[in-house]
Short mmCIF file of all heavy atoms in Angstrom, two decimals:
data_model
loop_
_atom_site.label_atom_id
_atom_site.label_comp_id
_atom_site.label_asym_id
_atom_site.label_seq_id
_atom_site.Cartn_x
_atom_site.Cartn_y
_atom_site.Cartn_z
N THR A 411 -39.48 -6.06 13.96
CA THR A 411 -38.64 -5.71 12.81
C THR A 411 -37.94 -4.37 13.02
O THR A 411 -38.38 -3.55 13.83
CB THR A 411 -39.47 -5.62 11.51
OG1 THR A 411 -40.42 -4.55 11.64
CG2 THR A 411 -40.19 -6.92 11.23
N SER A 412 -36.87 -4.20 12.27
CA SER A 412 -36.11 -2.95 12.32
C SER A 412 -35.37 -2.79 11.00
O SER A 412 -34.99 -3.79 10.37
CB SER A 412 -35.12 -2.96 13.48
OG SER A 412 -34.32 -1.80 13.49
N ASP A 413 -35.17 -1.57 10.57
CA ASP A 413 -34.36 -1.30 9.38
C ASP A 413 -32.89 -1.25 9.78
O ASP A 413 -32.47 -0.36 10.53
CB ASP A 413 -34.76 0.03 8.73
CG ASP A 413 -36.15 -0.03 8.11
OD1 ASP A 413 -36.45 -1.06 7.47
OD2 ASP A 413 -36.92 0.93 8.26
N GLU A 414 -32.11 -2.22 9.29
CA GLU A 414 -30.67 -2.23 9.55
C GLU A 414 -29.93 -2.00 8.24
O GLU A 414 -30.30 -2.58 7.21
CB GLU A 414 -30.24 -3.56 10.17
CG GLU A 414 -30.68 -3.73 11.61
CD GLU A 414 -30.08 -4.96 12.28
OE1 GLU A 414 -29.46 -5.79 11.58
OE2 GLU A 414 -30.24 -5.08 13.50
N PRO A 415 -28.88 -1.19 8.26
CA PRO A 415 -28.09 -1.00 7.03
C PRO A 415 -27.44 -2.31 6.61
O PRO A 415 -26.99 -3.09 7.46
CB PRO A 415 -27.03 0.03 7.45
CG PRO A 415 -27.51 0.61 8.74
CD PRO A 415 -28.34 -0.43 9.40
N ASN A 416 -27.37 -2.58 5.32
CA ASN A 416 -26.66 -3.76 4.85
C ASN A 416 -25.22 -3.75 5.35
O ASN A 416 -24.55 -2.71 5.33
CB ASN A 416 -26.66 -3.81 3.32
CG ASN A 416 -28.04 -4.06 2.75
OD1 ASN A 416 -29.01 -4.25 3.49
ND2 ASN A 416 -28.15 -4.04 1.43
N ALA A 417 -24.76 -4.89 5.81
CA ALA A 417 -23.40 -5.09 6.35
C ALA A 417 -23.23 -4.51 7.74
O ALA A 417 -22.13 -4.57 8.30
CB ALA A 417 -22.33 -4.53 5.41
N TRP A 418 -24.29 -3.95 8.33
CA TRP A 418 -24.25 -3.40 9.69
C TRP A 418 -25.39 -4.01 10.48
O TRP A 418 -26.42 -4.40 9.92
CB TRP A 418 -24.38 -1.88 9.68
CG TRP A 418 -23.26 -1.17 8.98
CD1 TRP A 418 -23.10 -1.03 7.62
CD2 TRP A 418 -22.14 -0.51 9.58
NE1 TRP A 418 -21.97 -0.31 7.35
CE2 TRP A 418 -21.36 0.02 8.52
CE3 TRP A 418 -21.74 -0.29 10.89
CZ2 TRP A 418 -20.18 0.74 8.76
CZ3 TRP A 418 -20.58 0.42 11.12
CH2 TRP A 418 -19.81 0.93 10.07
N HIS A 419 -25.23 -4.06 11.80
CA HIS A 419 -26.21 -4.77 12.62
C HIS A 419 -26.39 -4.08 13.97
O HIS A 419 -25.50 -3.40 14.46
CB HIS A 419 -25.76 -6.23 12.84
CG HIS A 419 -25.36 -6.91 11.58
ND1 HIS A 419 -24.05 -7.04 11.17
CD2 HIS A 419 -26.12 -7.46 10.58
CE1 HIS A 419 -23.99 -7.66 10.01
NE2 HIS A 419 -25.24 -7.92 9.63
N SER A 420 -27.57 -4.34 14.56
CA SER A 420 -27.87 -3.83 15.89
C SER A 420 -28.59 -4.91 16.68
O SER A 420 -28.45 -6.10 16.39
CB SER A 420 -28.68 -2.53 15.80
OG SER A 420 -28.76 -1.89 17.07
N PHE A 421 -29.41 -4.52 17.66
CA PHE A 421 -29.98 -5.50 18.59
C PHE A 421 -31.03 -6.41 17.94
O PHE A 421 -31.27 -7.51 18.43
CB PHE A 421 -30.60 -4.77 19.78
CG PHE A 421 -29.58 -4.11 20.67
CD1 PHE A 421 -29.36 -2.75 20.61
CD2 PHE A 421 -28.82 -4.87 21.55
CE1 PHE A 421 -28.41 -2.14 21.41
CE2 PHE A 421 -27.87 -4.27 22.36
CZ PHE A 421 -27.66 -2.91 22.29
N MET A 422 -31.68 -5.97 16.88
CA MET A 422 -32.72 -6.79 16.27
C MET A 422 -32.15 -8.10 15.70
O MET A 422 -32.86 -9.08 15.55
CB MET A 422 -33.44 -6.01 15.18
CG MET A 422 -34.78 -6.60 14.78
SD MET A 422 -36.00 -6.63 16.12
CE MET A 422 -36.29 -4.87 16.37
N SER A 423 -30.86 -8.11 15.41
CA SER A 423 -30.21 -9.32 14.89
C SER A 423 -29.19 -9.87 15.89
O SER A 423 -28.22 -10.50 15.50
CB SER A 423 -29.54 -9.03 13.54
OG SER A 423 -28.67 -7.92 13.63
N SER A 424 -29.44 -9.61 17.17
CA SER A 424 -28.48 -10.01 18.20
C SER A 424 -28.62 -11.48 18.56
O SER A 424 -29.57 -12.17 18.16
CB SER A 424 -28.66 -9.15 19.45
OG SER A 424 -29.95 -9.36 20.02
N THR A 425 -27.66 -11.97 19.32
CA THR A 425 -27.66 -13.32 19.83
C THR A 425 -27.36 -13.26 21.32
O THR A 425 -27.08 -12.21 21.87
CB THR A 425 -26.62 -14.18 19.09
OG1 THR A 425 -26.75 -15.55 19.49
CG2 THR A 425 -25.20 -13.71 19.38
N GLY A 426 -27.42 -14.40 21.99
CA GLY A 426 -27.13 -14.43 23.42
C GLY A 426 -28.34 -14.76 24.26
O GLY A 426 -29.49 -14.72 23.80
N ALA A 427 -28.09 -15.07 25.54
CA ALA A 427 -29.14 -15.54 26.44
C ALA A 427 -30.26 -14.52 26.62
O ALA A 427 -31.41 -14.89 26.87
CB ALA A 427 -28.53 -15.90 27.79
N LEU A 428 -29.93 -13.22 26.54
CA LEU A 428 -30.93 -12.19 26.78
C LEU A 428 -31.36 -11.48 25.50
O LEU A 428 -31.93 -10.39 25.55
CB LEU A 428 -30.40 -11.17 27.79
CG LEU A 428 -30.06 -11.70 29.19
CD1 LEU A 428 -29.58 -10.59 30.09
CD2 LEU A 428 -31.27 -12.39 29.81
N ALA A 429 -31.09 -12.11 24.35
CA ALA A 429 -31.42 -11.46 23.08
C ALA A 429 -32.91 -11.14 22.98
O ALA A 429 -33.31 -10.10 22.45
CB ALA A 429 -31.00 -12.34 21.91
N SER A 430 -33.76 -12.01 23.52
CA SER A 430 -35.20 -11.79 23.42
C SER A 430 -35.67 -10.57 24.21
O SER A 430 -36.74 -10.02 23.94
CB SER A 430 -35.96 -13.03 23.91
OG SER A 430 -35.67 -13.29 25.27
N PHE A 431 -34.85 -10.12 25.17
CA PHE A 431 -35.25 -8.97 25.97
C PHE A 431 -34.79 -7.63 25.38
O PHE A 431 -35.26 -6.58 25.79
CB PHE A 431 -34.69 -9.10 27.39
CG PHE A 431 -35.25 -10.28 28.15
CD1 PHE A 431 -34.52 -11.45 28.27
CD2 PHE A 431 -36.51 -10.23 28.70
CE1 PHE A 431 -35.03 -12.54 28.95
CE2 PHE A 431 -37.04 -11.32 29.39
CZ PHE A 431 -36.29 -12.48 29.51
N VAL A 432 -33.84 -7.68 24.44
CA VAL A 432 -33.32 -6.43 23.87
C VAL A 432 -33.72 -6.27 22.40
O VAL A 432 -33.42 -5.24 21.80
CB VAL A 432 -31.78 -6.35 24.00
CG1 VAL A 432 -31.35 -6.40 25.45
CG2 VAL A 432 -31.10 -7.47 23.20
N SER A 433 -34.36 -7.29 21.84
CA SER A 433 -34.63 -7.28 20.41
C SER A 433 -36.07 -6.92 20.06
O SER A 433 -36.51 -7.13 18.94
CB SER A 433 -34.30 -8.66 19.81
OG SER A 433 -32.95 -8.99 20.03
N ASP A 434 -36.82 -6.41 21.04
CA ASP A 434 -38.20 -6.02 20.74
C ASP A 434 -38.35 -4.53 20.52
O ASP A 434 -39.45 -4.02 20.34
CB ASP A 434 -39.14 -6.48 21.86
CG ASP A 434 -38.72 -5.96 23.22
OD1 ASP A 434 -37.73 -5.21 23.29
OD2 ASP A 434 -39.40 -6.31 24.22
N THR A 435 -37.21 -3.80 20.54
CA THR A 435 -37.23 -2.36 20.32
C THR A 435 -36.25 -1.99 19.22
O THR A 435 -35.06 -2.31 19.33
CB THR A 435 -36.84 -1.60 21.60
OG1 THR A 435 -37.75 -1.96 22.65
CG2 THR A 435 -36.89 -0.10 21.38
N PRO A 436 -36.69 -1.34 18.16
CA PRO A 436 -35.74 -0.92 17.10
C PRO A 436 -34.74 0.11 17.62
O PRO A 436 -35.09 0.98 18.42
CB PRO A 436 -36.66 -0.31 16.04
CG PRO A 436 -38.02 -0.84 16.34
CD PRO A 436 -38.08 -1.02 17.83
N HIS A 437 -33.51 -0.01 17.18
CA HIS A 437 -32.46 0.95 17.54
C HIS A 437 -31.87 1.63 16.30
O HIS A 437 -31.11 2.58 16.44
CB HIS A 437 -31.34 0.26 18.32
CG HIS A 437 -31.71 -0.10 19.72
ND1 HIS A 437 -31.41 0.69 20.80
CD2 HIS A 437 -32.38 -1.18 20.22
CE1 HIS A 437 -31.85 0.12 21.92
NE2 HIS A 437 -32.45 -1.02 21.58
N THR A 438 -32.16 1.13 15.11
CA THR A 438 -31.62 1.73 13.89
C THR A 438 -32.76 2.10 12.95
O THR A 438 -33.73 1.35 12.81
CB THR A 438 -30.67 0.76 13.18
OG1 THR A 438 -31.35 -0.47 12.89
CG2 THR A 438 -29.45 0.47 14.03
N PHE A 439 -32.61 3.26 12.29
CA PHE A 439 -33.67 3.79 11.44
C PHE A 439 -33.04 4.43 10.20
O PHE A 439 -31.94 4.98 10.25
CB PHE A 439 -34.48 4.85 12.19
CG PHE A 439 -35.08 4.37 13.48
CD1 PHE A 439 -34.35 4.38 14.66
CD2 PHE A 439 -36.38 3.88 13.51
CE1 PHE A 439 -34.89 3.93 15.85
CE2 PHE A 439 -36.94 3.43 14.70
CZ PHE A 439 -36.20 3.45 15.87
N ILE A 440 -33.78 4.36 9.08
CA ILE A 440 -33.37 5.07 7.87
C ILE A 440 -33.61 6.56 8.07
O ILE A 440 -34.68 6.97 8.52
CB ILE A 440 -34.16 4.58 6.65
CG1 ILE A 440 -33.95 3.07 6.45
CG2 ILE A 440 -33.75 5.34 5.39
CD1 ILE A 440 -34.85 2.47 5.39
N SER A 441 -32.61 7.38 7.74
CA SER A 441 -32.76 8.83 7.90
C SER A 441 -32.37 9.53 6.60
O SER A 441 -31.48 9.07 5.88
CB SER A 441 -31.86 9.33 9.04
OG SER A 441 -31.84 10.75 9.08
N ASP A 442 -33.05 10.63 6.31
CA ASP A 442 -32.68 11.45 5.16
C ASP A 442 -31.86 12.67 5.59
O ASP A 442 -31.61 13.57 4.79
CB ASP A 442 -33.92 11.90 4.37
CG ASP A 442 -34.89 12.71 5.23
OD1 ASP A 442 -34.57 13.01 6.40
OD2 ASP A 442 -35.97 13.07 4.72
N ASP A 443 -31.42 12.68 6.85
CA ASP A 443 -30.54 13.74 7.35
C ASP A 443 -29.10 13.31 7.07
O ASP A 443 -28.56 12.44 7.74
CB ASP A 443 -30.77 13.93 8.85
CG ASP A 443 -30.03 15.14 9.41
OD1 ASP A 443 -29.17 15.71 8.70
OD2 ASP A 443 -30.30 15.52 10.57
N VAL A 444 -28.50 13.89 6.04
CA VAL A 444 -27.16 13.47 5.63
C VAL A 444 -26.14 14.56 5.95
O VAL A 444 -26.48 15.72 6.12
CB VAL A 444 -27.11 13.14 4.12
CG1 VAL A 444 -28.04 11.97 3.83
CG2 VAL A 444 -27.51 14.34 3.28
N ARG A 445 -24.89 14.15 5.99
CA ARG A 445 -23.82 15.09 6.35
C ARG A 445 -23.62 16.14 5.26
O ARG A 445 -23.94 15.90 4.08
CB ARG A 445 -22.53 14.33 6.62
CG ARG A 445 -21.97 13.54 5.43
CD ARG A 445 -20.89 14.29 4.70
NE ARG A 445 -20.21 13.45 3.74
CZ ARG A 445 -19.33 13.91 2.86
NH1 ARG A 445 -19.05 15.20 2.79
NH2 ARG A 445 -18.75 13.09 2.01
N PRO A 446 -23.08 17.30 5.60
CA PRO A 446 -22.86 18.36 4.60
C PRO A 446 -21.98 17.87 3.46
O PRO A 446 -20.96 17.21 3.68
CB PRO A 446 -22.16 19.46 5.40
CG PRO A 446 -22.54 19.22 6.81
CD PRO A 446 -22.68 17.74 6.95
N GLY A 447 -22.39 18.16 2.23
CA GLY A 447 -21.61 17.78 1.06
C GLY A 447 -21.77 16.34 0.64
O GLY A 447 -21.09 15.88 -0.29
N SER A 448 -22.68 15.61 1.27
CA SER A 448 -22.85 14.21 0.93
C SER A 448 -23.43 14.06 -0.47
O SER A 448 -24.27 14.84 -0.90
CB SER A 448 -23.79 13.54 1.94
OG SER A 448 -24.08 12.22 1.54
N GLU A 449 -22.98 13.03 -1.17
CA GLU A 449 -23.54 12.71 -2.48
C GLU A 449 -24.70 11.73 -2.36
O GLU A 449 -25.37 11.43 -3.34
CB GLU A 449 -22.45 12.12 -3.38
CG GLU A 449 -21.31 13.10 -3.68
CD GLU A 449 -20.26 12.50 -4.57
OE1 GLU A 449 -20.40 11.30 -4.93
OE2 GLU A 449 -19.29 13.20 -4.93
N GLY A 450 -24.94 11.23 -1.15
CA GLY A 450 -26.02 10.29 -0.93
C GLY A 450 -27.27 10.97 -0.42
O GLY A 450 -27.32 12.19 -0.23
N THR A 451 -28.30 10.16 -0.18
CA THR A 451 -29.59 10.69 0.28
C THR A 451 -30.00 10.11 1.63
O THR A 451 -31.04 10.48 2.15
CB THR A 451 -30.69 10.37 -0.74
OG1 THR A 451 -30.80 8.95 -0.90
CG2 THR A 451 -30.38 11.01 -2.09
N LYS A 452 -29.17 9.21 2.18
CA LYS A 452 -29.54 8.56 3.44
C LYS A 452 -28.37 8.52 4.42
O LYS A 452 -27.21 8.57 4.03
CB LYS A 452 -30.02 7.12 3.18
CG LYS A 452 -31.21 6.99 2.28
CD LYS A 452 -31.50 5.53 1.98
CE LYS A 452 -32.60 5.36 0.94
NZ LYS A 452 -32.78 3.94 0.55
N SER A 453 -28.72 8.41 5.67
CA SER A 453 -27.78 8.07 6.74
C SER A 453 -28.51 7.09 7.64
O SER A 453 -29.67 6.75 7.40
CB SER A 453 -27.35 9.32 7.51
OG SER A 453 -28.44 9.85 8.26
N VAL A 454 -27.84 6.60 8.68
CA VAL A 454 -28.52 5.74 9.64
C VAL A 454 -28.66 6.50 10.95
O VAL A 454 -27.74 7.19 11.38
CB VAL A 454 -27.77 4.41 9.85
CG1 VAL A 454 -26.37 4.63 10.41
CG2 VAL A 454 -28.56 3.48 10.78
N MET A 455 -29.83 6.40 11.57
CA MET A 455 -30.07 7.00 12.88
C MET A 455 -30.07 5.88 13.91
O MET A 455 -30.78 4.89 13.77
CB MET A 455 -31.40 7.75 12.91
CG MET A 455 -31.68 8.42 14.25
SD MET A 455 -33.22 9.40 14.24
CE MET A 455 -34.45 8.09 14.26
N VAL A 456 -29.24 6.04 14.94
CA VAL A 456 -29.11 5.05 16.00
C VAL A 456 -29.62 5.68 17.29
O VAL A 456 -29.21 6.79 17.65
CB VAL A 456 -27.64 4.61 16.17
CG1 VAL A 456 -27.53 3.50 17.20
CG2 VAL A 456 -27.05 4.17 14.84
N THR A 457 -30.52 4.99 18.00
CA THR A 457 -31.09 5.55 19.23
C THR A 457 -30.91 4.60 20.39
O THR A 457 -30.80 3.37 20.22
CB THR A 457 -32.60 5.84 19.05
OG1 THR A 457 -33.29 4.59 18.87
CG2 THR A 457 -32.85 6.75 17.86
N SER A 458 -30.90 5.16 21.59
CA SER A 458 -30.90 4.34 22.80
C SER A 458 -32.30 3.83 23.05
O SER A 458 -33.26 4.20 22.38
CB SER A 458 -30.41 5.17 24.00
OG SER A 458 -31.30 6.26 24.23
N GLY A 459 -32.44 2.93 24.02
CA GLY A 459 -33.75 2.39 24.37
C GLY A 459 -33.80 1.97 25.82
O GLY A 459 -32.87 2.24 26.59
#
Side-chain angles (χ1 to χ4, degrees):
T411 64
S412 176
D413 291 318
E414 288 188 350
N416 292 357
W418 297 78
H419 311 98
S420 191
F421 292 102
M422 197 63 67
S423 53
S424 63
T425 187
L428 298 181
S430 62
F431 296 101
V432 300
S433 301
D434 56 3
T435 302
H437 287 263
T438 57
F439 304 85
I440 301 172
S441 172
D442 60 4
D443 188 349
V444 298
R445 61 98 170 172
S448 174
E449 296 180 358
T451 60
K452 300 174 187 174
S453 68
V454 62
M455 181 176 73
V456 185
T457 65
S458 62

